[in-house]
Amino acid sequence: MAIQQKLSLMIPGPTPVPEKVLQALSKHPIGHRSKEFQDLVESTSKNLQWLHQTQNDVLTITGSGTAAMEAGIINTLSKGDKVICGENGKFGERWVKVAKEFGLEVIKIDSAWGTPLNPEEFKKILEEDQKKEIKAVILTHSETSTGIINDLETISSYIREHKTALSIVDCVTSLGACNVPVDKWQLDIVASGSQKGYMIPPGLSFISMSQKAWEATEKSNLPKFYLNLKSYKKSLLSNSNPYTPAVNLIFALDESLKMMKEEGLESIFLRHKKHKLAMSNAAKALNLKLFANEKYLSPSITAIETGEIDAEEFRKTIKNKFDILLAGGQDHLKGKIFRVGHLGYVNDRDIITVISAISKTLLDLGKITTQQAGEAVVIASKYLEEN
Ligand SMILES: *Cc1c(COP(=O)(O)O)cnc(C)c1O
């Protein structure tokens, strides 16, 4: 039987949590209207702006990443508004559902799962919209279900040229993993969640709002109460919250943001890049096919095809033998791929360990030679050493 409490989370959220952050979580709560708590909110708000590379307001909501995306949509748009939704995976699909649920008119731009969205398609539709009827472009930066990263920089430049449309972007598995310069790219609304790159447990989500996004809130007529962002903005002026926040998660957030600042953005991005390269190249050395287009690999998750092997059985074996939790495929990909999360509090050792576990399992199945198993680790090490 496996030793207890040594689970290694290699899924795209919840991600591993550092000891310091766990300790912050276990503190006794304090009053959320106290000066002490206001100081904490002041600190986390400033550091959230640092992480987002923005002067915009970054609001903290109690809820998972979906709450932040929904908030972005319902605070800036009105019933019947025309929006473009980029869809090339499970999360893209979710934002189409949310948009339709709120009575928006959706123009879908899609591409096959595992391939990136084509920025030129956004350009074309935005350019053709002479009457400026398109009010927003909703899309996912890093599509966690497939391990693809979409070219947000180019797409957002086309959105800016349109002038009217807002960008509403799911950056849940890109923020804190790769460069998402909110001000430089002039992103209007950026959503993320605590259990991903932030290294804290699930329960908080974050939303960055540009001046243009705030202006749009004045016209929006979709129903909202708990997620009315104007209340959050007003409270933030006094470093407060409209409702009782998840006090202990804010303790944790303060610690994790300080850790991130200490590491520095460049180092964080480089670490994720190295892990992506180590993981994807090791997979290829093991004769496994990457599910996503190799030019657009997400920094935080690698999706790997298993061919004739049942990916669910494969995952189960790795969990039982090594206590490493991998993610499965979703929908039609269930049983066909597994996904390795390397997002947040992940170090080189975690990468080497998961590659070794995958190698050993393939070896036992007779799919690779001992030489290949060794080579995969050597190749991964090479990428881990680069800087
Ligand atoms: C995890 C995730 C979300 C948020 O999902 P929740 O379950 O609401 O936290 C949104 N988008 C992407 C791409 C994600 O990976």
Side-chain angles (χ1 to χ4, degrees):
M1 212 181 97
I3 188 169
Q4 283 183 31
Q5 300 189 348
K6 192 85 172 125
L7 174 68
S8 179
L9 280 175
M10 299 295 285
I11 58 173
T15 60
V17 181
E19 204 67 35
K20 245 193 215 175
V21 175
L22 288 173
Q23 280 165 3
L25 270 173
S26 69
K27 284 202 297 190
H28 199 283
I30 58 174
H32 63 290
R33 303 290 179 216
S34 64
K35 167 80 171 58
E36 203 183 341
F37 192 71
Q38 283 175 330
D39 290 346
L40 206 56
V41 172
E42 188 178 359
S43 156
T44 55
S45 302
K46 258 199 225 127
N47 289 338
L48 283 168
Q49 286 177 314
W50 164 80
L51 178 66
H52 288 70
Q53 305 180 60
T54 188
Q55 299 297 314
N56 292 343
D57 298 304
V58 184
L59 309 169
T60 303
I61 300 170
T62 310
S64 74
T66 304
M69 277 303 281
E70 178 164 323
I73 291 168
I74 64 177
N75 278 273
T76 55
L77 299 167
S78 298
K79 204 169 163 65
D81 274 355
K82 218 183 244 188
V83 297
I84 295 178
C85 286
E87 186 204 286
N88 57 342
K90 191 82 184 158
F91 288 98
E93 264 181 18
R94 184 178 297 176
W95 313 136
V96 170
K97 277 188 202 153
V98 174
K100 287 189 174 162
E101 188 66 33
F102 286 101
L104 304 178
E105 192 188 319
V106 173
I107 305 167
K108 232 190 319 185
I109 293 181
D110 54 11
S111 88
W113 287 31
T115 68
L117 295 167
N118 179 359
E120 300 314 308
E121 288 183 43
F122 288 81
K123 183 178 190 192
K124 182 162 179 284
I125 294 179
L126 287 164
E127 274 180 0
E128 282 168 4
D129 180 36
Q130 292 298 325
K131 288 200 221 139
K132 305 292 173 192
E133 284 174 344
I134 296 168
K135 301 301 179 209
V137 178
I138 303 169
L139 79 154
T140 303
H141 189 195
S142 161
E143 182 44 87
T144 314
S145 60
T146 65
I148 273 280
I149 189 145
N150 287 308
D151 183 357
L152 179 59
E153 183 175 10
T154 306
I155 296 172
S156 68
S157 73
Y158 296 149
I159 300 172
R160 287 205 304 278
E161 281 165 19
H162 180 272
K163 300 240 166 20
T164 300
L166 295 166
S167 49
I168 303 180
V169 197
D170 169 350
C171 288
V172 178
T173 54
S174 60
L175 201 85
C178 63
N179 197 26
V180 186
V182 172
D183 284 356
K184 190 168 163 219
W185 291 356
Q186 294 178 46
L187 302 171
D188 294 304
I189 298 169
V190 172
S192 57
S194 59
Q195 80 276 29
K196 308 285 174 109
Y198 289 86
M199 312 187 289
I200 60 181
L204 295 180
S205 57
F206 311 96
I207 181 161
S208 158
M209 294 277 291
S210 72
Q211 190 51 43
K212 189 170 155 190
W214 284 124
E215 282 159 19
T217 64
E218 297 303 324
K219 284 179 267 165
S220 161
N221 71 8
L222 293 174
K224 51 205 161 262
F225 182 83
Y226 187 75
L227 290 179
N228 189 331
L229 294 177
K230 281 192 206 165
S231 321
Y232 290 81
K233 183 180 166 75
K234 185 162 167 256
S235 297
L236 196 62
L237 292 174
S238 53
N239 293 313
S240 191
N241 277 265
Y243 317 109
T244 313
V247 170
N248 288 52
L249 283 170
I250 304 287
F251 292 157
L253 175 66
D254 191 46
E255 274 308 324
S256 71
L257 287 169
K258 283 175 180 161
M259 283 180 71
M260 289 173 100
K261 273 192 97 164
E262 230 168 83
E263 187 178 358
L265 285 181
E266 287 310 316
S267 306
I268 294 172
F269 301 158
L270 181 65
R271 177 164 56 85
H272 284 83
K273 184 180 166 199
K274 286 197 314 188
H275 290 172
K276 168 189 80 175
L277 290 172
M279 196 60 233
S280 52
N281 284 292
K284 288 194 293 182
L286 294 170
N287 281 350
L288 294 170
K289 238 181 114 212
L290 301 175
F291 178 71
N293 180 321
E294 215 174 311
K295 280 201 215 117
Y296 296 88
L297 292 181
S298 161
S300 46
I301 182 139
T302 303
I304 297 171
E305 293 182 18
T306 50
E308 307 133 36
I309 305 167
D310 179 346
E312 289 304 289
E313 281 302 317
F314 193 79
R315 255 171 17 95
K316 222 180 275 166
T317 305
I318 289 192
K319 171 69 184 61
N320 292 341
K321 272 205 176 149
F322 301 102
D323 231 348
I324 299 173
L325 187 64
L326 301 174
Q330 292 164 290
D331 294 352
H332 63 281
L333 296 177
K334 200 174 174 76
K336 297 194 162 63
I337 65 166
F338 65 86
R339 295 172 299 145
V340 185
H342 32 82
L343 170 63
Y345 192 54
V346 172
N347 67 7
D348 293 0
R349 187 222 305 165
D350 297 321
I351 300 294
I352 289 291
T353 308
V354 74
I355 290 169
S356 305
I358 293 169
S359 300
K360 167 68 175 145
T361 309
L362 288 170
L363 195 60
D364 288 349
L365 288 168
K367 298 287 178 189
I368 54 166
T369 62
T370 47
Q371 171 139 3
Q372 278 176 300
E375 272 166 11
V377 173
V378 172
I379 286 170
S381 309
K382 192 183 81 159
Y383 284 100
L384 295 175
E385 270 163 23
E386 274 173 14
N387 47 43

